[in-house]
Amino acid sequence: MFFASDNWAGAHPAIAARLSGAAGGFSAAYGDGDLDKAVCDRFGEIFEHEVAVFFVATGTAANALSLASYGKPGGISFCHTQAHVMEDECGAVEYLSGGGRLHGIGGALGRIDPGELERALDRFVPEFVHAGRPTAVSITQSTEIGTVYSLDEIAAISALAKRHSLPLHLDGARFANALVALETTPAEMTWKRGVDIVSFGGTKNGCWCAEAIVVFDPGRARELAFLRKRAGQLFSKSRFVAAQFDAYFRDDLWLENARHSNSMAASLAAAIEAAPGLRLGWQPQANEVFAVITDDRAEKLQAAGAAFYDWPLPAGSTETLGENEKLYRFVTSFATTAEDIDRFASLVG
Ligand SMILES: Cc1ncc(COP(=O)(O)O)c(C=O)c1O
Ligand SMILES: C[C@@H](O)[C@H](N)C(=O)O
């Protein structure tokens, strides 16, 4: 019963097999191989748009390089106050953008509040050097607390960014989970709603180690090519990332994995709601479940083998924690089974 993170899950067997299958023979290196090109073309088909694609090793690299590619001296990227780029990337954005800053915007349940974003952006007077200057807006989809922006919410944030001539970045470490939750298409959830650049995550959804930056304006690609190399993120044997995405997209495995992961989260949430003395922090929309549990019961669950950990209450939460209660985060994955959920339910019942 490992609910600590989908980063704990292994690789899907089909992806592992494809990776091994790509091991033999020779292929041009550094992204110039036939498989690299075929997979990049596949990204274009999936997004229904001409794209430039850059494989990188981690979601942090994808986020930091995406925002750095729009960086300028005094640049500021706007993100949610509890965004991963703000709280869990060790200053990667600031470092790779040569000193760019992050400005946190509030909003309930992990989603940027458009009114707060508008007020923050309106405070910046062009060319007033002392304050620096906005360079990008970044949203996380699905968010760090398992919620999802609706298509209209993405469009509203994008409209604000565009009013200030800013690009919109989407941290899609869990892109597939959000996509199937909204039952929409990659095009509808990105460029058709004004998203300019995507950190496209595969690692948490069945890949060994496969992340990609997807750029809808190929004119910006040249900058990213140099930023990626300088960051040490250009794989020499990039065919092994391409092979993973080849299997990931084949027969819509990526969507099947995400649907399974989300459905396991819904089952886990139901088990929590049915359990005496436990309660959900909020309804999950993707593959992350947050629950309020007393310390003693959490300890018993962890002693029985359930891996999960406590999490700070999100901004805008109406939840109040009792003296011996904490909020805990549970993350499901393609590898979570119904037996895991049943075992958890039997322990909390
Ligand atoms: C929302 C979000 N974005 C980005 C990342 C970064 O991914 P990585 O840990 O591979 O750098 C994570 C990590 O799990 C994440 O949860
Ligand atoms: C750092 C931690 O939050 C990681 N991104 C996870 O989702 O497990």
Side-chain angles (χ1 to χ4, degrees):
M1 288 187 294
F2 293 101
F3 300 117
S5 173
D6 38 13
N7 287 308
W8 285 38
H12 189 281
I15 293 169
R18 183 72 185 84
L19 185 62
S20 302
F26 293 89
S27 164
Y30 299 110
D32 293 335
D34 294 340
L35 183 58
D36 296 88
K37 290 171 182 159
V39 168
C40 289
D41 289 347
R42 185 78 182 100
F43 269 95
E45 290 163 10
I46 284 167
F47 279 95
E48 302 170 78
H49 197 287
E50 183 187 0
V51 293
V53 181
F54 298 86
F55 300 148
V56 293
T58 67
T60 296
N63 287 339
L65 288 170
S66 293
L67 294 175
S69 74
Y70 289 97
K72 296 173 185 169
I76 304 166
S77 297
F78 293 74
C79 62
H80 191 272
T81 50
Q82 293 172 296
H84 200 267
V85 287
M86 175 81 83
E87 299 214 320
D88 274 318
E89 300 190 3
C90 191
V93 173
E94 297 89 331
Y95 177 67
L96 290 179
S97 60
R101 288 185 288 131
L102 291 168
H103 181 108
I105 301 292
L109 291 183
R111 295 176 293 231
I112 283 176
D113 175 89
E116 290 200 30
L117 174 62
E118 185 167 34
R119 286 187 290 278
L121 291 173
D122 286 347
R123 274 202 298 273
F124 285 86
V125 176
E127 306 318 314
F128 180 63
V129 292
H130 304 276
R133 52 185 161 173
T135 47
V137 175
S138 177
I139 60 173
T140 306
Q141 178 79 331
S142 56
T143 73
E144 289 76 5
I145 59 168
T147 53
V148 170
Y149 287 89
S150 71
L151 299 184
D152 288 346
E153 286 168 334
I154 296 173
I157 289 170
S158 153
L160 279 173
K162 296 302 179 284
R163 192 159 64 77
H164 291 265
S165 306
L166 296 175
L168 179 58
H169 164 251
L170 185 148
D171 171 355
R174 296 182 178 87
F175 186 93
N177 299 93
L179 194 72
V180 298
L182 292 175
E183 296 180 354
T184 189
T185 69
E188 292 293 347
M189 196 169 80
T190 58
W191 62 270
K192 287 188 178 180
R193 292 300 181 295
V195 172
D196 297 283
I197 189 166
V198 176
S199 299
F200 186 91
T203 306
K204 295 159 183 46
N205 191 34
C207 290
W208 284 57
C209 164
E211 303 288 310
I213 301 170
V214 179
V215 186
F216 298 114
D217 172 8
R220 299 204 52 84
R222 185 161 171 70
E223 193 70 14
L224 255 171
F226 286 93
L227 283 168
R228 177 180 63 169
K229 181 62 183 182
R230 185 182 69 174
Q233 287 288 321
L234 175 57
F235 286 97
S236 63
K237 295 187 178 179
S238 69
R239 66 161 125 168
F240 294 128
V241 180
Q244 293 177 68
F245 278 126
D246 182 48
Y248 189 67
F249 293 134
R250 194 173 298 277
D251 303 329
D252 285 345
L253 174 64
W254 65 304
L255 303 179
E256 181 188 321
N257 283 358
R259 287 191 186 100
H260 174 80
S261 181
N262 288 5
S263 92
M264 289 292 100
S267 301
L268 181 63
I272 288 167
E273 283 187 309
L278 274 63
R279 63 184 186 274
L280 283 177
W282 50 90
Q283 283 298 329
Q285 291 181 288
N287 69 315
E288 297 179 66
V289 182
F290 292 78
V292 178
I293 307 177
T294 54
D295 297 339
D296 60 335
R297 297 196 67 184
E299 283 157 20
K300 279 185 193 148
L301 274 168
Q302 287 160 338
F308 56 94
Y309 53 85
D310 63 297
W311 197 264
L313 279 176
S317 168
T318 55
E319 181 60 63
T320 49
L321 299 177
E323 194 179 321
N324 64 343
E325 291 182 326
K326 288 192 184 75
L327 181 71
Y328 290 93
R329 177 198 194 212
F330 298 78
V331 187
T332 55
S333 74
F334 77 93
T336 304
T337 65
E339 290 70 32
D340 291 324
I341 308 301
D342 292 345
R343 172 105 171 88
F344 178 90
S346 69
L347 288 168
V348 295

